[in-house]
Amino acid sequence: MEKLKQRILELENISRELEPSEIERNEYFRQIQDYANSFINNIDVSKTFSGRKVKRDALSLDGKKKSLRELIKTYSDEVARKGINAASGGHLGYIPGGGIYTSALADYIAAVTNEYAGLYYASPGAVTIENEILNWMKSIFGFPEDAAGSLTSGGSTANMIALTAARDHHRIKSDRIAGSIIYLSSQTHHCINKALKIIGLEDVIIRYSDLDKNSRIDADSLNRQIIKDKASGLNPFLIVATAGTTDTGAVDPLMEIGKIARRHKLWYHIDAAYGGFFILSGLRKELFSGIETADSLVTDPHKGLFVPYGTGAVLVKNREPVLKSYKYSASYMQDSIQSVVNIYEPADVSPELTRHFRALRIWLPLQIHGIEPFIACLEEKLVLTTYFRRRLTEIGFRTGPEPDLSISYFWYPSESFDENAYNKKLLELIHKDGRVFFSSTVINRKFVIRMAILSFRTRLRTIDKAVQVINTANNKLKRSLSVR
Ligand SMILES: *Cc1c(COP(=O)(O)O)cnc(C)c1O
C-alpha cells in the first residue's frame, strides 16, 4: 500500500503541471491578452492575405515543454500571419467570418468550466442556454416554439441534419432511392451534395432547376418539372432553396417555392447559412418572406452573427423525423434519461454526443451588447455593398446585377486584352498586395472578381482602401501591358 501511494504521489508531482498556479495563470493570461490586444489594435494595418508558406518544422510536436511567450510568437508568425486573415475587415472574399471578442471570452469560460453540452442531465444550464438561442432563432424565422433545432459546427453539418430529417420523414430507404427526386439549383452549396452522399442518397435523381437572370430558381419552371416527374411515376420528395447563394448572394423566391412544396407535399429545406441573419435588418424584409414556410432551415452564426468559426444552426419544424434520425439510447446512458418539457437534448438532434458548448459564444455577446449593434452591422454591410459597387463603377469597372444581399462581382472591361486573362492577372496583383482579399468565380463563362462583405470589421475606410488597392493594381497592369 505504501509503495502504491508513493508511486501515485510521484506521478501527481509530474501531472500537476496541468493545473497551473494562480500566479502562473495570471502570467499566461497577461501574455495572451497582450497578444490579443496587439492583434486587434493592428488589424487595420496588417495584411489580409499572405501567400507565404508555413514553416512546418516550427509547428511540429516534439513532446518537450516550451514557454508560452515562444509559442505565441510562433503562432503569430506561422498561423495568424499566413493565408487569409479571417478576422480582418479586409477579408472580402469567399464568405468572410466573424470573431467578435466577447465570443472569445465566452469560449474561455466554457472551456474552463467545461460544460457538457450534449445532455440536459449533465449541464441543464448549458442545454437551457442552447435552447434559448434556438428559441430566439425560431422567433426570428417564424418557426413554431416546438420545432427542434441544434447548434452545429457549421452549415455543412447543419444541412446534413436537415436532409436526414427529410429523408426519414419521406422514408427514403434503399428500395426507394432509385426513383426519388431532389430539386436543387446549380447555385446550391456543394455541402448539400456532400451531405446527400454521406447519408446514403447519392443515387437519388437530382434535378437542377432553371435560373433567372439573377441566378435565382425559376419557380414556374420548377413547378412544371415536378408535375412532369410525378406524371412519370417518380417520387419527388425534397426541394432545397438558398437564401443567399455563395456565388452571388441570390435569394431564391422563398414564398413561391414554399407554395410549390406544399402543393406537391415535398419537404422544403432552405439553406440560409450565409444570408439568414440579414432578415434582422428591415432593409431586405421582402426577400425573406416565405422563409417561415420551410420544413427545415440552416443558418451560420459564424457568418451572419460574427461569432468565430465553428457555429452553425439548424431548425426543423416537425420534430418527429429528426428525432427518428438522431435519438438513441444505451444502457450506459440510463441515468441521464429524463424528459424536460420543451427542452431539446442536443444529442437527440445531432450526430454529436459530447460537444462544444457553442451556445455561450452567441449568448454572451447578445447579452453583453444587446441585439442593436448586430442589426446595425448587418445593415451597414448592405449599404457598404451599394457604396462599393458605385465606387468601382466610378473607376471604370463593370459590376454584376444589383445584388440581393452583400455579395456581388466586378471585372475590368479590357478592350485590348483577353478580358478573362486580364481580370485573373488583376486579382493576382491584388493578392500580391495583400491589404485586402478577394476571391473569384465564373459567371456565364466569365472570370469575375467576387466581393463579399460580411466581416464585422469591414467599415467605410476598409472599402475606400479596397478601391485604392484595386485602382492601383489596375493602373499598374494597364501600364505593364501597354509598354509591351
Ligand atoms: C458557408 C455556406 C455553407 C457551408 O457552411 P460551413 O459553415 O462552411 O460548413 C453552406 N451553404 C451556404 C449557402 C453557405 O454560405
Side-chain angles (χ1 to χ4, degrees):
M1 204 61 152
E2 268 322 299
K3 236 176 139 184
L4 210 56
K5 277 206 216 160
Q6 198 190 329
R7 181 62 188 147
I8 291 171
L9 292 175
E10 272 169 26
L11 291 170
E12 181 185 314
N13 225 0
I14 306 169
S15 70
R16 222 173 22 209
E17 163 82 18
L18 300 180
E19 186 77 280
S21 69
E22 184 170 346
I23 293 173
E24 286 168 315
R25 293 199 300 271
N26 288 342
E27 180 54 26
Y28 282 155
F29 209 86
R30 204 181 53 73
Q31 290 182 28
I32 289 285
Q33 200 174 20
D34 285 350
Y35 173 63
N37 280 335
S38 89
F39 179 83
I40 294 170
N41 293 343
N42 291 309
I43 201 151
D44 272 353
V45 292
S46 305
K47 289 207 168 193
T48 301
F49 178 72
S50 158
R52 284 182 306 137
K53 291 220 162 44
V54 166
K55 294 195 196 93
R56 197 173 145 190
D57 285 352
L59 298 177
S60 62
L61 296 166
D62 60 9
K64 301 209 181 80
K65 284 174 70 157
K66 290 166 197 69
S67 75
L68 178 61
R69 194 175 301 282
E70 191 185 325
L71 293 165
I72 290 175
K73 168 99 175 57
T74 306
Y75 182 88
S76 172
D77 292 347
E78 299 302 321
V79 182
R81 288 168 193 249
K82 290 187 179 168
I84 302 168
N85 182 350
S88 163
H91 182 9
L92 303 163
Y94 304 107
I95 307 272
I100 47 178
Y101 188 74
T102 46
S103 271
L105 297 180
D107 273 4
Y108 173 74
I109 301 174
V112 170
T113 73
N114 200 25
E115 297 307 319
Y116 189 94
L119 298 165
Y120 184 86
Y121 175 77
S123 181
V127 171
T128 302
I129 285 184
E130 174 156 341
N131 273 263
E132 285 304 317
I133 296 292
L134 292 166
N135 287 339
W136 173 67
M137 290 182 185
K138 290 173 205 168
S139 72
I140 294 174
F141 294 106
F143 270 52
E145 211 173 305
D146 65 348
S150 175
L151 295 181
T152 66
S153 58
S156 301
T157 311
N159 274 304
M160 187 185 78
I161 292 173
L163 298 178
T164 313
R167 178 196 70 188
D168 292 349
H169 180 69
H170 282 272
R171 297 172 202 277
I172 310 297
K173 300 209 173 189
S174 53
D175 56 322
R176 299 186 69 193
I177 283 177
S180 291
I181 307 185
I182 298 176
Y183 300 87
L184 306 180
S185 113
S186 57
Q187 297 296 312
T188 305
H189 194 279
H190 74 273
C191 76
I192 299 280
N193 301 75
K194 189 166 158 182
L196 292 174
K197 195 165 178 178
I198 296 170
I199 67 173
L201 296 184
E202 190 182 4
D203 295 328
V204 298
I205 303 165
I206 293 183
R207 298 255 191 263
Y208 291 95
S209 302
D210 292 335
L211 304 180
D212 69 12
K213 62 179 191 315
N214 289 311
S215 306
R216 306 185 189 115
I217 290 176
D218 178 338
D220 289 336
S221 139
L222 170 67
N223 189 40
R224 282 194 299 275
Q225 184 65 49
I226 296 172
I227 292 171
K228 203 164 128 198
D229 287 333
K230 281 185 145 177
S232 331
L234 294 165
N235 176 40
F237 76 98
L238 166 65
I239 305 176
V240 178
T242 308
T245 59
T246 316
D247 247 358
T248 65
V251 179
D252 288 326
L254 304 180
M255 183 66 97
E256 281 173 74
I257 299 176
K259 284 180 187 155
I260 293 169
R262 190 151 359 119
R263 189 177 318 139
H264 297 290
K265 298 197 168 60
L266 312 194
W267 185 281
Y268 183 25
H269 175 65
I270 298 179
D271 178 2
Y274 149 66
F277 288 107
F278 280 106
I279 198 174
L280 289 170
S281 146
L283 280 187
R284 297 288 190 279
K285 223 178 188 119
E286 72 295 344
L287 285 178
F288 290 99
S289 115
I291 204 164
E292 70 286 353
T293 65
D295 293 298
S296 51
L297 175 73
V298 162
T299 58
D300 252 349
H302 65 204
K303 292 174 181 163
L305 281 181
F306 319 114
V307 305
Y309 289 137
T311 316
V314 60
L315 299 177
V316 182
K317 203 176 266 173
N318 175 354
R319 62 175 133 164
E320 296 311 324
V322 77
L323 295 180
K324 198 159 124 190
S325 314
Y326 287 107
K327 191 173 165 138
Y328 277 87
S329 202
S331 50
Y332 47 80
M333 305 260 291
Q334 62 189 4
D335 302 331
S336 74
I337 297 168
Q338 67 176 97
S339 68
V340 190
V341 180
N342 277 336
I343 290 270
Y344 279 90
E345 292 284 15
D348 292 349
V349 193
S350 164
E352 296 177 296
L353 176 58
T354 304
R355 55 210 280 287
H356 180 54
F357 178 20
R358 310 182 170 104
L360 198 67
R361 38 161 58 192
I362 306 175
W363 185 87
L364 193 72
L366 282 174
Q367 298 282 43
I368 290 185
H369 305 299
I371 187 70
E372 199 187 351
F374 290 88
I375 299 175
C377 201
L378 287 160
E379 193 161 330
E380 179 190 22
K381 304 310 150 209
L382 293 173
V383 187
L384 280 174
T385 307
T386 308
Y387 174 78
F388 195 7
R389 284 164 47 89
R390 283 201 199 149
R391 293 284 319 265
L392 286 167
T393 314
E394 276 172 15
I395 56 168
F397 279 79
R398 298 274 161 79
T399 55
E402 188 69 37
D404 285 340
L405 300 171
S406 68
I407 297 177
S408 183
Y409 56 92
F410 59 94
W411 69 97
Y412 193 74
S414 175
E415 277 158 18
S416 48
F417 204 69
D418 173 69
E419 217 162 83
N420 284 354
Y422 184 93
N423 284 282
K424 212 178 255 178
K425 270 222 146 26
L426 178 62
L427 185 60
E428 276 168 25
L429 288 181
I430 297 169
H431 282 174
K432 216 169 188 176
D433 177 282
R435 277 178 289 165
V436 289
F437 179 81
F438 295 93
S439 56
S440 66
T441 188
V442 174
I443 308 267
N444 301 327
R445 301 223 184 90
K446 188 176 192 59
F447 177 95
V448 294
I449 303 176
R450 229 179 119 269
M451 54 189 261
I453 303 182
L454 195 61
S455 165
F456 70 102
R457 290 198 174 102
T458 302
R459 307 275 183 235
L460 186 61
R461 63 175 182 279
T462 328
I463 299 301
D464 287 339
K465 176 166 73 182
V467 172
Q468 193 211 332
V469 170
I470 293 167
N471 205 18
T472 309
N474 192 35
N475 289 336
K476 195 167 157 189
L477 185 55
K478 272 196 273 190
R479 267 201 312 277
S480 76
L481 293 172
S482 63
V483 274
R484 273 213 275 158

